[in-house]
Amino acid sequence: MALPRTLSVIGAGQMGIGIAFVASLRAKIPIVLLYDHDSSQITRGLEFMDKLLAKDVSKGKISENDAKAAKARITAIASSSASSSSNDETNWARELGERGTDMVVEAASERLSIKEGIFRALARNLSKNAVLASNTSSISITKLAGAAVDGLVTSVSRASEEGKSCAGRVVGVHFFNPVPVMKLCEVIPGLQTSEATLEQAKAFAIACGKEVSTSKDVPGFVSNALLMPFLNEAIMCLESGTATRDDIDKTLRLGMGHPMGPLQLADFIGLDTCLAIQETLYEGTHDSKYRPSILLGRMVDAGWLGKKSGKGFYDY
């Protein structure tokens, strides 16, 4: 299965930078375009990538030439005026199309409205053969495929042949954080995803050095339908006073052999991300077992998002 020649990654946060890193270094995609509407985010992301490459060189995992080649494959595209959540034919999407993008991986915030706007813009501006992939960890791929159809220049029915063809190139490629370290990529076909698109997504993930698992398009997929309720229950234990933070995490580390406790893991994932996924599970199933912890919501309201903000259940 042929790999893309030009890959665009949308979002230069932890996940986007990680995906661009493995696509360039491991898969050796010739051209990796990294877009974020915030130029300062791209600067921070590329600085972090430089540190990752330098670390790999220092450990003898790659050569200096490998690191230079990986950096040379990445081109940053920043725009302070274009919003990645816009429904319009925005400059950023047009530029990605003009540069010949034949696969895109969206790694924006875990909010349906933002992702739908991105997929509408991509469908309108990219080649009709380009694979449109999302790194979402919980949002319906089928919904994103429908949004892509709605973004076409000519209004068509989602059930028309043109609509089905457009939706058929949308797929989920759920990488795990930190992307350079974690070995799995969860691939999710939507109801409309074609077999060819699914195989292209798997081939890309494997080229990035990942093992691949496949999940049906259900809320949270396999990974977060299992993980997030577990983390949410741990937060509820803390909220109800069943045990202290340290005792909750110690119990899972020492009693269950987990590498870190659930509260620390939630901090590393990002409490805002945990809340967004838990809300998606709850709204997608209407099952009370997925109700987000009140404490989790309050911490997000306070801006205590975990490691990335310097404060969560722990201080960083």
Side-chain angles (χ1 to χ4, degrees), residues 198-250:
L198 181 61
E199 292 305 315
Q200 284 178 283
K202 289 180 179 179
F204 169 69
I206 291 169
C208 289
K210 306 305 177 187
E211 296 283 341
V212 172
S213 67
T214 305
S215 170
K216 288 186 177 181
D217 185 20
V218 297
F221 317 133
V222 170
S223 55
N224 282 318
L226 296 174
L227 176 63
M228 286 302 157
F230 163 64
L231 299 185
N232 196 51
E233 284 293 334
I235 298 169
M236 287 182 170
C237 279
L238 180 65
E239 182 182 341
S240 66
T242 300
T244 65
R245 174 200 71 183
D246 291 346
D247 281 346
I248 291 169
D249 277 2
K250 183 189 295 182

Side-chain angles (χ1 to χ4, degrees), residues 150-171:
D150 294 343
L152 293 173
V153 175
T154 305
S155 179
V156 299
S157 163
R158 292 184 178 185
S160 68
E161 289 304 314
E162 185 177 354
K164 288 187 288 186
S165 176
C166 175
R169 57 198 177 108
V170 177
V171 65

Side-chain angles (χ1 to χ4, degrees), residues 5-316:
R5 173 170 175 76
T6 302
L7 172 77
S8 290
V9 179
I10 299 177
Q14 278 187 320
M15 297 304 297
I17 284 294
I19 294 166
F21 177 89
V22 296
S24 176
L25 181 64
R26 304 300 177 199
K28 294 181 172 56
I29 303 299
I31 301 171
V32 179
L33 305 176
L34 179 64
Y35 170 77
D36 197 293
H37 71 280
D38 183 352
S39 59
S40 65
Q41 181 64 57
I42 288 184
T43 300
R44 290 192 297 271
L46 292 177
E47 288 174 351
F48 179 64
M49 187 181 295
D50 286 344
K51 292 178 181 177
L52 292 177
L53 290 169
K55 185 177 180 180
D56 280 356
V57 170
S58 69
K59 290 185 173 182
K61 293 182 177 180
I62 61 173
S63 69
E64 188 69 43
N65 286 338
D66 290 334
K68 289 179 180 178
K71 288 175 65 174
R73 295 184 188 106
I74 297 175
T75 300
I77 298 177
S79 171
S80 59
S81 59
S83 168
S84 62
S85 62
S86 172
N87 294 346
D88 299 328
E89 188 175 28
T90 46
N91 292 333
W92 65 270
R94 188 182 304 115
E95 182 167 359
L96 297 185
E98 290 172 351
R99 287 175 177 259
T101 296
D102 45 12
M103 181 174 182
V104 60
V105 178
E106 169 273 314
S109 299
E110 194 70 0
R111 294 291 177 185
L112 177 60
S113 60
I114 292 175
K115 292 182 184 294
E116 285 181 326
I118 290 171
F119 274 81
R120 281 191 288 266
L122 292 173
R124 179 175 290 262
N125 288 280
L126 267 58
S127 160
K128 291 184 178 181
N129 296 319
V131 173
L132 310 181
S134 175
N135 183 58
T136 180
S137 51
S138 63
I139 290 172
S140 169
I141 302 302
T142 301
K143 285 185 178 180
L144 296 182
V149 178
D150 294 343
L152 293 173
V153 175
T154 305
S155 179
V156 299
S157 163
R158 292 184 178 185
S160 68
E161 289 304 314
E162 185 177 354
K164 288 187 288 186
S165 176
C166 175
R169 57 198 177 108
V170 177
V171 65
V173 287
H174 178 207
F175 289 86
F176 292 78
N177 189 31
V179 178
V181 176
M182 302 301 282
K183 297 178 181 179
L184 184 71
C185 179
E186 188 177 32
V187 177
I188 307 99
L191 192 61
Q192 314 96 314
T193 304
S194 72
E195 190 64 29
T197 298
L198 181 61
E199 292 305 315
Q200 284 178 283
K202 289 180 179 179
F204 169 69
I206 291 169
C208 289
K210 306 305 177 187
E211 296 283 341
V212 172
S213 67
T214 305
S215 170
K216 288 186 177 181
D217 185 20
V218 297
F221 317 133
V222 170
S223 55
N224 282 318
L226 296 174
L227 176 63
M228 286 302 157
F230 163 64
L231 299 185
N232 196 51
E233 284 293 334
I235 298 169
M236 287 182 170
C237 279
L238 180 65
E239 182 182 341
S240 66
T242 300
T244 65
R245 174 200 71 183
D246 291 346
D247 281 346
I248 291 169
D249 277 2
K250 183 189 295 182
T251 298
L252 273 296
R253 280 190 296 105
L254 303 184
M256 309 298 176
H258 291 201
M260 67 175 69
L263 300 178
Q264 185 182 16
L265 177 56
D267 273 355
F268 274 58
I269 293 171
L271 301 187
D272 53 338
T273 300
C274 291
L275 178 61
I277 295 171
Q278 198 66 30
E279 288 175 338
T280 297
L281 288 169
Y282 185 49
E283 292 165 6
T285 63
H286 301 290
D287 191 327
S288 61
K289 71 181 180 182
Y290 294 126
R291 178 183 63 80
S293 159
I294 293 173
L295 176 59
L296 176 59
R298 292 292 180 268
M299 292 182 73
V300 172
D301 290 342
W304 298 355
L305 307 181
K307 186 177 180 182
K308 62 185 174 184
S309 69
K311 183 173 181 58
F313 294 108
Y314 295 82
D315 294 327
Y316 299 89

